[in-house]
Amino acid sequence: MKKIGILTSGGDAPGMNAAVRAVVRTALYYGLQVYGIERGWDGLIKGQIQELKTRSVSDLIQRGGTFLKTARCPEFVTIEGQAKAADTLEAYGIDGVIVVGGDGSFRGAKDLSDNFGIKCMGIPGTIDNDLAYTDYTLGFDTAVNTVLGSINNLRDTMQSHDRVSLVEVMGRHCGDIALYAGIAGGAEYILIPEKPFDLNQIARQLVKSKLRGKTSNMIVLAEGAGSRDEIVKFLNEHAQVNIKITHLGHVQRGGSPTMADRILATRFGVKAVEEIIKEDSVSSAIGIRGNKVIAVPFDEAFKAKKEFNEELYAASQILSK
Ligand code: ADP
Ligand code: F6P
């Protein structure tokens, strides 16, 4: 392997820049040439490529977003789109690609590998923490801390006014952002897609807590767990409250990565390069299990089933009573 490409794809996540930096510097350390591909698979199809040197990734480790930019590319899902991407790689003499992205981006990487023989490594970059083969994805820690900052601010004003607050957070179909931020923020209710919840029971608890003199409550809702408007309408009617809604949205995707995400990005980047240059390695997803950085063949990574953290959920139930 002499030349590799690096791209970021799908939704951005804090720490993507730090991962690209680690990939570039590790690749140069091992004597490779590195090419930055802009706007994910779309840029690969269109040939938006530039060589990256050590200085190209200076002053980046602390920045959110992705300087390579990212995109979603429907054309790449087709074999014709992938063939165009393979032609670009051939034109530049690039033999391997490292992609920082989520599940969809990894499926693209596997297709490129299976259909055109290009070795690919995937670095999990998504705030959702929804990839089963790895304990953590890049950007999750930063997103949770961003949510936590908002919960802290909301608590101040909700307590002053004796109000109930509902914060809706991202995560697609995964409740991890809500669970971790909810626990760390001391939320009374955490509503996530992995666990059924009973709105009648929550309404009764809100009434009971008011009778006990507790007038302020925090509800954290994962976007995949249900409609915030319907939930709020039901609780307002059945518990005689006037819930204030905060929809955090894309602020959760930005910001300077935390120390944990910078370290993770660095470890993932180094591992991705060390794996791609191994003669006998196969296209794989990079991840972390029990604080050990791992490389798992894509097929195996896709088959893994996400283990829900029952212990953490149980703790949240005990502490919110
Ligand atoms: P993420 O990587 O964050 O999950 P997406 O699901 O939007 O984000 O996927 C990013 C891109 O990866 C898509 O726009 C598409 O180009 C490519 N992709 C997604 N799914 C597939 C697939 N099944 N086969 C090939 N490429 C795919
Ligand atoms: O996958 C990351 C994520 O931020 C999800 O949490 C969210 O559901 C989705 O992307 C939002 O996508 P978009 O930026 O395209 O609106």
Side-chain angles (χ1 to χ4, degrees), residues 52-71:
L52 298 175
K53 302 283 194 187
T54 294
R55 294 278 77 78
S56 319
V57 290
S58 295
D59 196 26
L60 263 191
I61 194 167
Q62 78 282 17
R63 290 185 201 275
T66 160
F67 86 107
L68 284 178
K69 299 193 183 275
T70 183

Side-chain angles (χ1 to χ4, degrees), residues 22-311:
V23 165
V24 170
R25 295 208 170 150
T26 308
L28 294 173
Y29 174 84
Y30 285 110
L32 304 177
Q33 266 180 286
V34 199
Y35 289 86
I37 299 153
E38 286 180 3
R39 297 183 179 78
W41 300 123
D42 193 54
L44 187 55
I45 288 175
K46 294 181 176 146
Q48 294 170 348
I49 293 186
Q50 50 173 311
E51 191 172 356
L52 298 175
K53 302 283 194 187
T54 294
R55 294 278 77 78
S56 319
V57 290
S58 295
D59 196 26
L60 263 191
I61 194 167
Q62 78 282 17
R63 290 185 201 275
T66 160
F67 86 107
L68 284 178
K69 299 193 183 275
T70 183
R72 295 198 162 99
C73 175
E75 192 183 356
F76 192 75
V77 182
T78 65
I79 190 85
E80 293 79 14
Q82 291 161 20
K84 286 187 200 166
D87 286 347
T88 308
L89 292 171
E90 200 184 341
Y92 280 84
I94 297 172
D95 351 83
V97 174
I98 296 177
V99 52
V100 192
D103 180 75
S105 305
F106 284 12
R107 288 185 191 272
K110 181 174 153 42
D111 282 358
L112 199 57
S113 173
D114 288 354
N115 300 332
F116 297 92
I118 292 150
K119 200 194 279 187
C120 295
M121 295 292 151
I123 293 178
T126 165
I127 63 166
D128 299 338
N129 207 35
D130 59 349
L131 298 176
Y133 75 93
T134 179
D135 292 344
Y136 293 106
T137 59
L138 203 51
F140 170 68
D141 185 73
T142 307
V144 168
N145 278 290
T146 302
V147 173
L148 202 47
S150 299
I151 290 178
N152 293 342
N153 288 5
L154 280 168
R155 275 193 165 280
D156 291 345
T157 172
M158 293 298 140
Q159 296 222 326
S160 307
H161 285 268
D162 296 328
R163 278 172 172 161
V164 181
S165 184
L166 180 139
V167 189
E168 185 190 290
V169 302
M170 281 186 168
R172 224 181 275 259
H173 307 296
C174 179
D176 280 12
I177 296 179
L179 182 61
Y180 283 69
I183 291 177
E188 280 76 14
Y189 303 94
I190 301 172
L191 312 184
I192 53 177
E194 293 85 348
K195 288 283 169 185
F197 50 88
D198 178 354
L199 287 179
N200 278 304
Q201 197 191 344
I202 295 174
R204 281 196 297 275
Q205 279 176 4
L206 284 172
V207 172
K208 259 198 232 161
S209 69
K210 208 192 286 179
L211 291 174
R212 284 202 325 261
K214 180 172 168 53
T215 50
S216 173
N217 280 283
M218 176 70 62
I219 303 168
V220 178
L221 169 70
E223 64 177 348
S227 151
R228 65 173 179 271
D229 290 336
E230 283 170 22
I231 291 170
V232 166
K233 187 166 177 280
F234 184 95
L235 294 176
N236 281 348
E237 279 171 20
H238 290 78
Q240 274 81 55
V241 283
N242 179 16
I243 297 176
K244 297 290 171 187
I245 301 176
T246 303
H247 178 209
L248 282 180
H250 287 80
V251 292
Q252 295 160 88
R253 284 247 297 269
S256 180
T258 56
M259 176 277 285
D261 274 332
R262 295 182 202 193
I263 298 289
L264 202 57
T266 303
R267 295 177 75 187
F268 283 168
V270 171
K271 177 73 171 175
V273 174
E274 289 184 341
E275 203 60 29
I276 208 167
I277 59 178
K278 272 190 207 157
E279 284 288 324
D280 59 349
S281 66
V282 296
S283 292
S284 297
I286 305 300
I288 187 156
R289 280 244 150 168
N291 203 24
K292 190 175 176 331
V293 180
I294 52 167
V296 180
F298 281 124
D299 271 339
E300 221 178 286
F302 295 144
K303 268 191 239 144
K305 291 261 173 292
K306 177 126 174 114
E307 272 173 43
F308 181 68
N309 194 331
E310 296 287 350
E311 182 217 315

